[in-house]
Amino acid sequence: MSNAVAEEPPIGPEILAEPVLHASIYEELRRRMITGKIVPGVGLSTRGLALEMGVSQMPVRDALSRLAAEGAVAIRSKRKIEVPAMSAERFTDLLECRLMLEPQAAMLALPHITPQRLKQLHEIDAAIDTAMENGDVVAYMEGNFAFHFALYRANDRPTLNRLIEALWLQFGPFMRVVYGRFGTANLVDQHRVAMDAIEAKDADALGRAIASDIADGMGLIGRTNWAVR
């Protein structure tokens, strides 16, 4: 009688492909919402997104279900998926949560900001300045996200940062519409203030700069009278 133990089949690309695919579709849709490439008032089509991304509808459907659980989209029916409407109550909740979490995330990151990371922040801010001058709303939003999370991720607090991302998921689509209405020319560059605080190693000043940046951006949503849908 043989004592040989049958070897388990190796885990090859064909086995890992499906979970990786599902995760990548989810992360791509998250990124689109955070940077305002998905906007309120425009229905999302599972079939349309699948065709655009060159995948089957299943990973798209799964990703949208996860986003719905995070409050980023509302699935009304198979054919009606959309960004939930803004309300005064939801706006206040999002704003207060951001003000609680993001200044703290930045202050926790401060001791870990290396010269290389500070250089990266300066480069991102320079790209943001160019986007503001050109009125390029999409580039501005992508740069704004890149700046904040290049800063926050230095804190080595992945759970905290994921919570912040969940908040960005819910207001990102509205910021895209609002910046489209108000433009970028009159935005105050609080990022420069934040970098001055980093260079001075002043945690309190850094927290205040991030809080002011949040208030400036969210204040634009507040002035829309919830007409962004």
Side-chain angles (χ1 to χ4, degrees), residues 4-191:
V5 178
E7 293 184 1
E8 293 184 4
I11 300 176
E14 69 281 359
I15 296 176
L16 292 178
E18 188 172 344
V20 171
L21 175 64
H22 282 235
S24 65
I25 296 299
Y26 168 69
E27 292 298 336
E28 171 61 15
L29 290 179
R30 278 178 62 94
R31 187 187 68 80
R32 291 186 184 194
M33 297 202 71
I34 286 171
T35 58
K37 291 182 177 177
I38 293 175
V39 296
V42 178
L44 300 174
S45 163
T46 302
R47 182 173 180 273
L49 288 169
L51 286 172
E52 180 186 340
M53 296 180 180
V55 298
S56 70
Q57 293 187 47
M58 183 175 290
V60 175
R61 191 178 297 114
D62 289 347
L64 289 170
S65 293
R66 292 178 67 182
L67 290 169
E70 293 179 284
V73 299
I75 301 176
R76 313 295 186 192
S77 67
K78 287 185 178 180
R79 295 188 178 182
K80 189 173 183 182
I81 304 169
E82 60 189 7
V83 174
M86 185 58 74
S87 67
E89 293 77 16
R90 184 178 173 213
F91 171 81
T92 299
D93 187 34
L94 288 171
L95 176 58
E96 290 180 353
C97 287
R98 290 194 68 195
L99 290 173
M100 282 191 287
L101 296 180
E102 293 187 48
Q104 182 70 10
M107 293 166 72
L108 289 169
L110 181 58
H112 308 288
I113 300 295
T114 62
Q116 292 78 10
R117 192 175 292 265
L118 183 59
K119 179 175 181 290
Q120 179 190 22
L121 290 170
H122 277 291
E123 290 171 350
I124 294 170
D125 192 53
I128 291 173
D129 287 343
T130 299
M132 291 170 67
E133 291 169 4
N134 294 336
D136 188 336
V137 174
V138 173
Y140 172 81
M141 290 196 64
E142 290 179 340
N144 189 47
F145 173 75
F147 181 92
H148 279 264
F149 283 88
L151 172 59
Y152 301 158
R153 286 171 184 152
N155 63 28
D156 197 26
R157 300 290 183 91
T159 302
L160 173 60
N161 295 335
R162 199 66 172 179
L163 289 171
I164 294 170
E165 283 188 20
L167 297 173
W168 281 59
L169 273 175
Q170 295 190 56
F171 76 83
F174 292 91
M175 292 308 304
R176 172 65 180 84
V177 176
V178 169
Y179 288 143
R181 290 180 180 179
F182 288 92
T184 58
N186 297 318
L187 295 174
V188 178
D189 188 3
Q190 297 290 351
H191 297 165

